[in-house]
């Protein structure tokens, strides 16, 4: 059972020694191994970072088996010529297989400095040199590095996009040019009429009173002798456009020039008449000013004037300037819609074919002043027009006013929408599909996983989960992309984290978001329900274990120890606060608990009907205190805080006793109300004593059967239900729940045309709480990876230093196949049945090992590429366990067959 912490069988020390030193039998040659994918802070050649101790990682490409790194040496220099000497830092030869999360331990790094780095590694006594040279450049490390002030125009033009302009020229050659840009609100920077970078909706969302993110751009290729810079700043999440930036130029003669934001005073209005994240954007093409791109101030007739103002210094948002070190938001996919219907004369409704987050690019041709409106929605009324009721106060409408004179193209810059349908009005003729391009917009994190199996319903569910998660990554993990909310809810995230990590590389994304959570904390240790804090409770519901899980799962999956070290004091303060809110060991408050179960199990007329009637809030809150105390004890051990480990082990033990004393029902043989949520949560936590487990499991299964293999759980316990059933011998029951097609189920959503997950198990379209793009019910996605594919990290060997392949071979499936891009490389797991035989294909990345559970009725029947495995020295037999032969294998590709 992957309970609170997975059951781990440690390998004998001799085996580990043989693998790390390279003394084990290997079937590779040095020439077959190549170091690749050098990353600093999990980014390729990052520009403008501010981490005082960056982390380095690398991978290997090797088709050979059993490769294991035995040592590494990282070299950092301030010039390419000095790299072999490592004149800034030479780690020395470190005996270790570590290849991710290697922390810089050299002298203090300098603002603006570009550094080069490479790595040498060894396997046994053989050296492997990296042919790649990587680099990273520091941003502005000190607040005093910023020479200018915050600029704005607060006395007028409220709600408009403000455009700041500066002309500059040079009489000598520019060798290096950087733009450091921050805004309270979204911005877009142009130099000499060309947009700088491909970021959109920048900067990342934050609590502006605590920290403001800036991005660093290399603008050398934009620079000419005569230059002009224009930056448009929209209200964004802040509500009032403000900007702070710094242009820095280094010339070939070694001299420098800096233009701070206080030197960028000219401000005006432009074609964006209004822009709001929730309401949409109005753009008047008649107000476009192509002359702005001319590097001259002669276009400004008097200053100040009716059209141009002098921007004053404005009050700073309050937060410190921090380098934006997560992936920026970008346009990630573009495609034409699948249908256009004229539902009324002149009213056209576009079907994008799927629910998503982003916007619409249009091609139009019309008269000057002709107005085209675009209303976005997730659903339609019966008459075919868009239904925006569930958007609540969000207008979600874009407007384009034509300049006339020929074909025109446009898309918004400072807003985004959650939608499948777009209602277009104002056109004089029926448009073609090619006139519209749908653009998906999200944080540009890499995709990490893929899954497919013989049951296409599961494939569709997996796609629905992944699409929903992708729609809700806009520098924070939002709850929904469409209505007047789009917040980083911590209760939802508690059960989203693993699913999201299997689908996307969130190493940097989560490192940023945990700081957003930490920024909500007050002196009592309280955090808030949402981060950055906008709505919800303060203090947060105790189910918000996501604060700790962001760090713990980043350590488990990515090997990131520093995220624990950096955030440990605040995580500890949060657990300490929850502990103060107990009476006789039971936490005394709850807001949401197991939120949004099927409607019949919700409280009518209260809390949107989403608060569970049968799952006690104090049971959930107390269970999460136990969970968090255990998590904190584990993280205390990781960071060498032995006294804290003892303290939180004791807190966990005390809470465990209180939980059992209060919620165990001896007569019923279950916890709380003996429903699916209470019993699956208890099993997940590992609070059930050995002698009670059979009764609890039996009651859980009977309850599922009672409801004809349908779930009765909410957002949290849906995850625990599937996992507990699977790990306690009832994977077939979990599978039946996952593959239901009648209400309530994921299949039911699909049967109603869903392409993304709903907020409720019911199909609802009115106002209130009826999002149709809501990832909180998506934990079934991680169940597919963890149990059907069987790809699991090993917490005792974090960062996939060693991992587990343990697939559950389900009766109704004929095959399953998938992969996960770990920090070590690509992990693959695929199995298929053939009569009484089972074929299991596995890929283990170089420099890692896997504990593989090969399902079989006869261990002697196992073959690997037709070679008998039993007794083969290349495969280390560990044990038989629950119908599987367990082997330790090194890196490489394997094809096992067994009698099953």
């Amino acid at each position: 059972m992957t309970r609170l912490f997975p059951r781990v069988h440690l390998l004998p020390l001799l085996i580990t020694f043989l693998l790390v030193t390279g003394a084990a039998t290997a079937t590779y040659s040095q020439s077959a191994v190549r170091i690749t994918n050098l990353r600093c802070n999990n980014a390729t050649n990052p520009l403008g970072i501010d981490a005082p101790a960056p982390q380095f990682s690398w991978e290997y490409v090797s088709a050979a088996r059993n490769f294991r790194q035995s040592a590494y040496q990282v070299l950092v220099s301030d010039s390419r010529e000095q790299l072999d000497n490592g004149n800034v830092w030479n780690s020395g030869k470190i005996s270790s297989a570590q290849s991710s999360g290697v922390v810089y331990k050299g002298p203090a790094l300098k603002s603006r400095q570009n550094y080069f780095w490479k790595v040498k590694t060894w396997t046994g006594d053989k050296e492997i040199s990296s042919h790649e040279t990587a680099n990273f450049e520091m941003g502005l490390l000190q607040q005093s590095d910023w020479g200018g002030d915050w600029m704005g125009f607060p006395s007028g033009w409220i709600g408009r996009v403000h455009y700041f302009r500066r002309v500059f020229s040079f009489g000598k050659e520019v060798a290096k040019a950087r733009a450091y840009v921050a805004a309270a609100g979204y911005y877009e920077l142009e130099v000499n009429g060309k947009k700088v970078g491909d970021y959109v909706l920048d900067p990342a969302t934050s609590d502006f009173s605590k920290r403001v993110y800036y991005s660093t751009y290399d603008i050398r290729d934009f620079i000419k002798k005569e230059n002009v810079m224009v930056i448009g700043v929209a209200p964004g999440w802040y509500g009032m456009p403000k900007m702070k930036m710094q242009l820095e130029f280094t010339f070939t003669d070694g001299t420098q020039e800096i233009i701070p934001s206080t030197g960028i005073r000219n401000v005006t209005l432009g074609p964006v008449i209004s822009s709001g994240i929730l309401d949409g954007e109005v753009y008047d093409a008649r107000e476009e000013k192509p002359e702005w791109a001319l590097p001259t101030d002669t276009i400004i007739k008097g200053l100040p004037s009716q059209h141009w103002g002098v921007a004053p210094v404005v009050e700073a948002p309050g937060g410190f300037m921090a380098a934006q070190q997560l992936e920026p938001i970008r346009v990630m996919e573009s495609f034409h819609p699948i249908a256009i219907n004229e539902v009324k004369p002149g009213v056209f409704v576009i079907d994008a074919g799927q629910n998503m987050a982003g916007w619409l690019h249009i091609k139009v041709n019309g008269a000057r002043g002709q107005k085209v409106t675009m209303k976005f929605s997730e659903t339609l009324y019966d008459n075919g027009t868009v239904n925006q009721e569930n958007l609540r106060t969000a207008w979600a409408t874009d407007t384009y006013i034509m300049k006339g004179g020929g074909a025109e193209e446009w898309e918004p810059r400072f807003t985004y929408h959650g939608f499948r349908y777009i209602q277009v009005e104002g056109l004089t003729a029926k448009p073609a599909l090619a006139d519209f391009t749908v653009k998906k917009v999200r944080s540009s994190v890499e995709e990490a996983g893929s899954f497919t199996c013989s049951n296409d319903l599961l494939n569709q569910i997996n796609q629905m989960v992944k699409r929903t998660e992708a729609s809700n990554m806009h520098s924070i993990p939002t709850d929904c992309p469409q209505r007047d909310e789009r917040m980083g809810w911590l209760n939802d995230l508690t059960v989203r984290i693993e699913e999201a990590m299997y689908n996307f590389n969130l190493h940097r994304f989560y490192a940023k978001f945990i700081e957003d959570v930490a920024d909500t904390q007050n002196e009592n240790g309280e955090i808030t329900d949402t981060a950055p804090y906008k709505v919800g409770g303060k203090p947060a519901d105790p189910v918000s274990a996501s604060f700790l899980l962001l760090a713990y799962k980043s350590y488990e999956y990515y090997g990131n120890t520093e995220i624990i070290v950096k955030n440990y004091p605040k995580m500890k303060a949060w657990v300490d606060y929850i502990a103060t809110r107990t009476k006789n060991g039971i936490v005394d408050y709850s807001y949401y608990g197991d939120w949004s179960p099927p409607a019949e199990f919700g409280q009518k007329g209260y809390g949107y009907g989403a608060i569970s009637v049968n799952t006690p809030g104090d049971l959930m809150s107390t269970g999460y205190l136990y969970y968090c105390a255990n998590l904190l004890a584990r993280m205390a051990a990781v960071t060498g805080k032995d006294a804290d480990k003892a303290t939180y082990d004791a807190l966990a033990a005390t809470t465990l006793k209180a939980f059992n004393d209060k919620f165990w029902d001896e007569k019923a043989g279950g916890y709380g109300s003996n429903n699916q949520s209470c019993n699956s949560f208890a099993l997940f936590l590992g609070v059930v004593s050995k002698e009670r487990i059979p009764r609890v499991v039996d009651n859980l299964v009977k309850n599922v059967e009672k409801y004809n293999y349908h779930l009765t759980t909410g957002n949290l316990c849906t995850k625990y239900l599937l996992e507990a059933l699977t790990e306690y011998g009832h994977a077939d029951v979990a599978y039946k729940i996952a593959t239901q097609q009648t209400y309530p189920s994921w299949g039911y959503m699909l049967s109603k045309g869903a392409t993304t997950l709903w907020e409720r198990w019911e199909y609802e379209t009115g106002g209130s709480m009826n999002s149709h793009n809501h990832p909180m019910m998506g934990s079934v996605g991680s169940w597919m990876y963890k149990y059907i594919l069987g790809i699991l990290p090993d917490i005792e060997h974090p960062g996939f230093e060693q991992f587990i392949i343990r697939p559950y071979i389900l009766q109704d499936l004929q095959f399953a196949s998938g992969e996960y891009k770990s920090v070590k490389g690509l992990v693959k797991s695929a199995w298929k049945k053939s009569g009484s035989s089972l074929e299991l294909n596995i890929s283990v990345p170089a420099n890692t090992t896997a504990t593989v559970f090969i399902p079989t009725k006869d261990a002697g029947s196992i073959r690997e590429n037709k070679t008998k495995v039993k007794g083969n020295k290349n495969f280390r037999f560990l044990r038989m366990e629950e119908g599987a032969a367990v082997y330790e294998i090194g890196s490489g590709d394997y094809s096992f067959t067994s009698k099953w």
Side-chain angles (χ1 to χ4, degrees), residues 75-89 113-118 133-136:
L75 300 166
V76 180
S77 71
D78 54 14
S79 71
R80 198 178 296 274
E81 293 73 25
Q82 291 290 330
L83 187 52
D84 286 338
N85 300 324
N87 71 318
V88 173
W89 182 54
Q113 178 66 51
N114 189 34
Y115 294 94
F116 299 88
W117 74 280
K118 69 177 183 179
T133 296
N135 66 279
F136 61 94

Side-chain angles (χ1 to χ4, degrees), residues 381-393:
Y381 287 115
D382 291 341
N383 66 1
T385 59
V386 294
N387 181 351
Q388 292 187 313
E389 291 178 22
N390 72 322
L391 307 186
R392 304 192 302 212
T393 63

Side-chain angles (χ1 to χ4, degrees), residues 225-237:
K225 185 177 180 179
E226 304 290 334
N227 303 278
V228 61
M229 177 229 77
V230 177
I231 181 170
V233 186
W237 282 112

Side-chain angles (χ1 to χ4, degrees), residues 632-660:
L632 196 63
R634 277 290 185 116
M635 289 188 279
V638 169
T639 55
K641 301 179 186 298
D642 294 340
D644 276 5
K645 182 181 185 306
T647 295
Y648 293 101
D649 278 340
L651 175 60
T654 300
T655 308
L656 170 65
K657 184 178 186 305
F659 185 93
N660 275 294

